[in-house]
Amino acid sequence: MSDVAEIQKVYDSARQFMYSHGNKTQWGENYPGEDLIIHDIENGDLYAYETDGKIHGVFAFFIGQDPTYQRIEQGSWLSDTLYGTIHRVASDGAKNGIMQKTVSYCENKIPHIRIDTHEDNKIMQNLIQENGFRQCGIIYTEDGSPRIAYEKI
C-alpha cells in the first residue's frame, strides 16, 4: 500500500505515452484509479517491476475466467482451458522490456494467457504479438468498449 502513489505515477506516464502516440481514449485521464489499484493490491493481483528501489512497470494478473472474455466476436479463443489474464500493463518508460518481463512472469504461473488492448494502441498490439500471442477476435469491456483480444498457449 505504501507504493500506491508511485504506481499511480507509472500509470500517469503510460497514459501520457498512449495519448502522445494516438491512443487518446483507452484509459482516459484517470484509469486505473486509486480505488482499482488498491483493490488489485488487496487481492494480490497487482505486480510491479522494480529496480534500484524504484517501480518502473506494473500490471494486474488474474487466473480464472474473466467475465469480459465470455463473449468473443469476429473469431474464437484457441482453448477453453484454465487461463490467466494480463490487464493494465504500464511502464514509466525508463526501462525496456517491461512487456516481455510481464509475459515471462505470467507464463511461469500458467502457460495459457489472454490479453486485450484498444484498437488505437498500436504499440501494445505489436508488443503483444512480439511476445507470441495470437489475435483471436473482439471482446467488450464492462462499459461495452471493444478490445482486440489475444491468446497464448
Side-chain angles (χ1 to χ4, degrees):
M1 288 301 181
S2 62
D3 292 327
V4 170
E6 191 173 0
I7 291 166
Q8 285 181 306
K9 288 179 185 176
V10 172
Y11 280 120
D12 289 343
S13 294
R15 278 192 300 274
Q16 290 171 4
F17 180 85
M18 288 192 296
Y19 190 86
S20 68
H21 287 83
N23 183 13
K24 299 178 180 182
T25 60
Q26 181 173 352
W27 283 358
E29 295 180 15
N30 299 307
Y31 184 86
E34 182 177 337
D35 290 345
L36 183 54
I37 292 167
I38 290 170
H39 177 267
D40 286 347
I41 292 169
E42 289 176 341
N43 288 325
D45 297 327
L46 188 110
Y47 299 84
Y49 174 73
E50 181 179 347
T51 59
D52 303 320
K54 181 163 175 32
I55 295 174
H56 294 288
V58 293
F59 64 95
F61 184 63
F62 315 92
I63 295 177
Q65 292 209 357
D66 185 316
T68 60
Y69 289 2
Q70 297 302 305
R71 183 179 117 211
I72 187 167
E73 296 180 354
Q74 301 176 33
S76 62
W77 295 115
L78 303 174
S79 173
D80 290 328
T81 61
L82 183 66
Y83 61 90
T85 304
I86 301 171
H87 283 298
R88 299 183 283 284
V89 178
S91 167
D92 67 359
K95 300 288 181 181
N96 292 329
I98 299 296
M99 182 64 177
Q100 189 278 326
K101 288 172 177 47
T102 297
V103 172
S104 179
Y105 178 84
C106 295
E107 282 180 315
N108 284 327
K109 296 266 187 193
I110 186 169
H112 183 186
I113 303 173
R114 293 179 180 175
I115 192 169
D116 64 85
T117 195
H118 193 279
E119 68 179 340
D120 291 339
N121 199 338
K122 303 299 185 195
I123 292 172
M124 182 57 84
Q125 290 171 36
N126 289 335
L127 289 171
I128 289 169
Q129 291 177 1
E130 286 173 8
N131 280 277
F133 287 84
R134 288 185 45 200
Q135 185 173 329
C136 292
I138 305 295
I139 59 98
Y140 296 88
T141 61
E142 290 178 11
D143 70 0
S145 302
R147 297 290 187 267
I148 303 168
Y150 299 85
E151 188 169 36
K152 181 177 185 176
I153 301 175

